[in-house]
């Protein structure tokens, strides 16, 4: 790795007999032991359901201010930056024991006295989104109930009744499982609801008359003021980073290729949905489009089912907010000021102890935070307090308005861009003890892999297996040939593209991570300005 030559050479020299320096090729990272049993499919489903929410319905409105061309470019750009943040989280997770990664744990290693602020931001953001989802239930169900024959009683028209009913019979039971993987079936149902909404928007685009459609912007836009008012809709549409560490902790196979597959398929699916809904919805109504496209369709069975689908979607999305919220609140409650950065002590370089083996127990919550495992009792009362608090807020506040906008502008940008960028930039510093430990771990595995494969790769090494000097000479020759081959391929541009992105140069990746953090700060400022002065968010 870049910037680690001194440490790596010393390690290699100590291993090779006769002083020969053994330079091993960078291998594709294999899964570490530990973790959970979640499949790629279930991880995809939960991550997609975390990404795609009721905000999908506002995409056509956002596109109306940017125009179709610029709108599509921005949707793709926002997806790319969010995917890069997720990828950096997966790289950060390598610095911790398998199944224990979290924002809190990584912050404790880099900026320990700010860890509580980061988790507090995550908690506030998830709490606000959860409350907003519950208010959507209260707003839509009084209109859905008569269409399905629920009439004759006054309480059926009361928003608080429907919030209480869905809270008691759906949200509470689904919020107590410890793992995200246990929510994969409800996530499938939620995604089917999104599928219906997509079909509804596309159907109306195909059959509705264009006589009453407003003006269209294909290449032109409505100007910077209107664009700024809608920019947060696209930026925050991909926020799912609060659950990424849970996905990484629960994956059965957490190899680099698997993680990139989950990230790429999830963000790619969300981008395709957003582009489809945005274009077809905007082409249907033009400049007459409003923030919730479903509200523009005439009263009918199809539109009623669409409203019911939104209720199902947000109902099954609330537990996905409770999961990281609970872990973050627990981390905040356990936090204590750290005056001694014991983890960064140089004396801890020596030895082959696992990363953070003295700080993290083997039994942890699937979110990976806090450092100490959450007991059943603590898990139960903490979940109960969170749910009751969300329920009370949802009953008392019918429109969160700007509060949620400010929470999104600060919380979403922090966990999507600023934290992933900053944490990876700090953790991957070549002078960081944590980076040196990780590189030593990789070198150990590389050496082990090479020692096991030398007999097959080099017949001469097999013949000299009984002799230590012969084996050392043969292994050294194999390493030199491989190193020269890699250098020649790089010069000729024949290195090839790797789906797992393990070919990325670390120095470049660190600069990109710092750029993402700076980008997040700019996004936060821009969004706060648009919310404060243009009344949107």
């Amino acid at each position: 790795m870049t910037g680690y030559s001194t440490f790596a050479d010393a390690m290699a020299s100590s291993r090779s007999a006769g002083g020969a320096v053994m330079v091993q090729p960078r291998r594709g990272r294999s899964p570490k032991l530990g973790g959970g049993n979640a499949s790629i499919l279930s991880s995809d489903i939960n991550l997609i359901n975390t990404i795609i929410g009721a905000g999908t319905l506002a995409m056509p409105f956002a596109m109306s201010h940017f125009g179709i061309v610029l709108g599509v470019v921005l949707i793709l750009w926002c997806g790319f930056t969010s995917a890069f943040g997720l990828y950096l989280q997966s790289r950060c997770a390598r610095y911790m024991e398998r199944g224990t990664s979290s924002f809190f744990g990584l912050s404790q290693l880099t900026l320990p006295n700010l860890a509580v602020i980061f988790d507090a931001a995550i908690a506030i953001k998830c709490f606000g989104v959860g409350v907003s989802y519950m208010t959507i239930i209260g707003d839509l169900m009084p209109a859905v109930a008569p269409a399905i024959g629920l009439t004759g009683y006054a309480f059926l028209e009361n928003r608080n009744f429907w919030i209480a009913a869905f809270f008691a019979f759906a949200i509470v039971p689904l919020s107590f499982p410890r793992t995200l993987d246990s929510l994969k079936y409800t996530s499938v149902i939620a995604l089917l609801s999104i599928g219906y909404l997509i079909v509804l928007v596309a159907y109306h685009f195909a059959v509705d008359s264009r006589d009453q459609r407003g003006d269209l912007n294909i290449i032109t836009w409505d100007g910077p003021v209107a664009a700024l008012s809608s920019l947060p809709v696209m930026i925050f549409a991909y926020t799912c980073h609060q659950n990424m560490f849970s996905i990484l902790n629960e994956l059965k196979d957490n190899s680099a290729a698997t993680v990139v597959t989950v990230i790429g398929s999830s963000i790619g699916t969300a981008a395709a949905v957003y582009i489809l809904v945005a274009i077809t919805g905007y082409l249907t109504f033009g400049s007459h489009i409003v923030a919730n496209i479903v509200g523009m369709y005439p009263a009918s069975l199809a539109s009623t089912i669409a409203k019911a689908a939104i209720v199902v979607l947000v109902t099954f999305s609330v537990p996905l907010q409770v999961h990281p919220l609970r872990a973050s609140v627990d981390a905040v409650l356990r936090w204590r000021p750290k005056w001694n950065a014991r983890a960064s002590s140089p004396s801890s370089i020596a030895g082959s102890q696992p990363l953070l083996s003295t700080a993290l127990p083997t039994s942890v919550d699937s979110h990976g935070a806090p450092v100490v495992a959450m007991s059943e009792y603590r898990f139960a009362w903490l979940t109960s307090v969170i749910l009751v608090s969300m329920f009370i807020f949802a009953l008392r506040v019918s429109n969160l308005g700007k509060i949620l906008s400010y929470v999104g502008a600060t919380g979403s940008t922090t966990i999507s861009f600023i934290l992933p960028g900053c944490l990876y930039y700090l953790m991957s510093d070549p002078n960081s003890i944590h980076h040196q430990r990780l590189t030593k771990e990789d070198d150990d595995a590389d050496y082990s892999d090479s020692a096991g494969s030398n007999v097959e790769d080099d017949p001469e090494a097999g013949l000299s297996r009984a002799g230590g000097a012969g084996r050392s000479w043969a292994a050294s020759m194999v390493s030199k040939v491989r190193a020269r081959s890699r250098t020649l391929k790089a010069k000729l541009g024949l290195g090839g593209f790797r789906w797992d992105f393990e070919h990325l140069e670390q120095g470049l990746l660190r600069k990109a991570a710092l750029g993402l953090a700076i980008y997040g700060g700019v996004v936060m400022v821009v969004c706060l300005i648009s919310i404060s002065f243009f009344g949107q968010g």
Side-chain angles (χ1 to χ4, degrees):
M1 284 190 179
T2 302
Y4 183 62
S5 56
T6 303
F7 190 82
D9 289 345
M11 296 298 300
S13 298
S14 65
R15 294 191 189 104
S16 55
V21 177
M22 299 184 61
V23 182
Q24 299 296 342
R26 171 63 60 194
R27 64 188 170 92
R29 292 184 61 85
S30 301
K32 291 182 180 180
L33 297 177
N37 296 308
S39 65
I40 295 177
L41 180 60
S42 66
S43 301
D44 263 334
I45 290 172
N46 282 322
L47 200 56
I48 292 172
N49 190 28
T50 307
I51 298 171
I52 301 177
T56 308
L57 305 177
M59 278 294 168
F61 177 73
M63 178 169 281
S64 68
H65 294 312
F66 289 102
I68 293 178
V69 174
L70 182 57
V72 170
V73 170
L74 281 174
I75 290 175
L76 293 176
W77 168 253
C78 293
F80 170 76
T81 53
S82 291
F84 185 51
L86 294 173
Y87 178 69
L88 290 180
Q89 285 184 249
S90 72
R91 298 284 294 228
C92 288
R94 299 177 183 180
Y95 292 94
M96 303 191 72
E97 282 293 333
R98 175 78 164 101
T100 66
S101 56
S102 68
F103 280 123
F104 180 81
L106 290 165
S107 299
Q108 285 283 73
L109 298 180
T110 54
L111 302 168
N113 289 324
L114 296 181
V116 65
I117 298 177
F118 298 145
D119 260 283
I122 297 171
I124 293 172
K125 185 265 176 190
C126 294
F127 185 87
V129 173
V131 171
S132 69
Y133 283 166
M134 293 172 68
T135 61
I136 291 174
I137 295 173
D139 292 340
L140 292 181
M141 278 308 298
V144 173
I148 58 178
L150 297 178
T151 58
Y153 299 95
F155 66 84
L156 294 175
E157 301 176 3
N158 189 313
R159 65 180 297 274
N160 290 348
F161 166 77
W162 290 110
I163 292 176
F166 277 82
F167 175 80
F169 295 106
I171 294 173
V172 169
L174 293 174
S175 297
F176 275 88
R178 278 184 174 264
T179 65
L180 279 181
D181 189 50
S182 59
L183 300 176
K184 58 189 174 185
Y185 299 113
T186 57
S187 292
V188 169
I189 298 174
L191 293 180
L192 290 176
S193 301
I194 278 289
Y196 176 81
L197 295 173
I198 295 171
V199 171
L200 178 70
V201 174
Y203 171 78
H204 279 280
F205 164 71
V207 303
D208 284 3
S209 170
R210 304 291 188 271
D211 296 339
Q212 303 300 319
R213 184 176 67 184
D215 297 331
L216 290 176
N217 291 329
I218 305 298
I219 300 178
T220 58
W221 66 331
D222 287 345
V225 174
L228 277 177
S229 69
S230 297
L231 184 60
V233 174
M234 294 185 176
I235 293 175
F236 303 148
Y238 294 94
T239 303
C240 61
H241 301 66
Q242 68 272 17
N243 278 332
M244 185 58 190
F245 283 126
S246 291
I247 296 293
L248 295 172
N249 292 337
E250 295 178 20
L251 266 173
K252 184 176 182 180
D253 173 12
N254 77 324
S255 62
T258 298
V259 171
V260 171
T261 298
V262 171
I263 295 172
S265 56
S266 301
I267 295 293
T269 300
V273 168
Y274 292 151
I275 291 174
L276 177 61
V277 172
I279 292 179
T280 54
Y282 179 47
L283 290 178
T284 302
F285 298 103
S287 59
H288 296 158
I289 193 75
V290 297
N292 186 353
I293 191 173
V294 171
M296 298 196 67
Y297 297 128
S300 65
L301 178 61
S303 61
T304 300
I305 295 176
K307 293 176 182 178
I310 296 173
V311 171
V312 172
L313 172 65
V314 298
T315 299
F316 291 152
S317 296
V318 171
L320 293 176
Q321 301 297 324
V322 172
H323 191 82
L325 171 58
R326 175 176 52 229
S328 294
V329 170
D330 191 35
V332 170
L333 294 177
R334 292 184 187 274
W335 178 83
R336 297 294 183 273
K338 197 170 186 179
W339 304 113
N340 252 334
R342 192 182 123 196
S344 60
S345 172
S347 62
S348 59
I349 295 180
S352 57
Q353 291 301 315
L355 304 183
L356 304 182
S357 59
T358 59
L360 292 174
T362 56
S363 175
V364 295
D365 182 75
S366 65
H367 183 71
V371 174
V372 181
M374 199 184 306
S375 67
E376 293 293 337
Y377 172 75
R378 186 178 180 88
F379 182 91
W381 74 256
L382 195 56
T383 304
S384 300
V385 170
I386 289 171
L387 289 173
V388 171
S389 300
M390 292 174 66
F391 176 66
I392 293 174
F393 267 82
L395 292 181
R396 297 180 64 87
V397 182
S398 60
N399 186 2
L400 298 178
K402 280 194 173 182
I403 296 178
L404 276 181
S405 298
Y406 282 113
V407 168
T410 54
S412 293
T413 52
T414 298
I415 66 176
S416 299
F417 310 126
I418 298 175
L419 267 182
C422 286
L423 290 177
Y424 180 75
Y425 183 80
L426 294 172
M427 294 295 294
S428 61
D429 185 346
N431 296 321
S432 165
I433 179 61
H434 311 298
H435 179 69
Q436 292 176 357
R437 279 184 170 182
L438 179 65
T439 310
K440 178 180 180 298
E441 183 185 80
D442 283 349
D443 286 347
D444 289 341
D446 285 340
Y447 181 81
S448 177
D449 290 347
S450 177
S453 62
N454 275 342
V455 173
E456 298 178 1
D457 295 343
D458 191 344
E460 190 171 353
L463 293 175
S464 62
R465 185 172 182 178
R471 182 171 67 252
S472 175
W473 174 85
S476 177
M477 290 300 296
V478 168
S479 297
K480 290 178 180 178
V481 170
R482 287 177 174 172
R484 289 174 181 173
S485 175
R486 291 197 308 275
T487 302
L488 180 61
K489 285 183 177 180
K491 289 181 178 179
L492 297 176
L494 301 177
F497 175 79
R498 292 185 57 175
W499 171 247
D500 58 11
F501 296 109
E502 292 297 296
H503 64 291
L504 294 178
E505 200 270 328
Q506 188 206 346
L508 176 63
L509 193 59
R510 290 192 74 226
K511 291 178 182 177
L514 181 60
L516 183 70
I518 296 173
Y519 167 78
V522 173
V523 166
M524 181 184 295
V525 172
V526 170
C527 291
L528 289 175
I529 290 174
S530 71
I531 294 166
S532 301
F533 296 98
F534 309 121
Q536 298 292 330

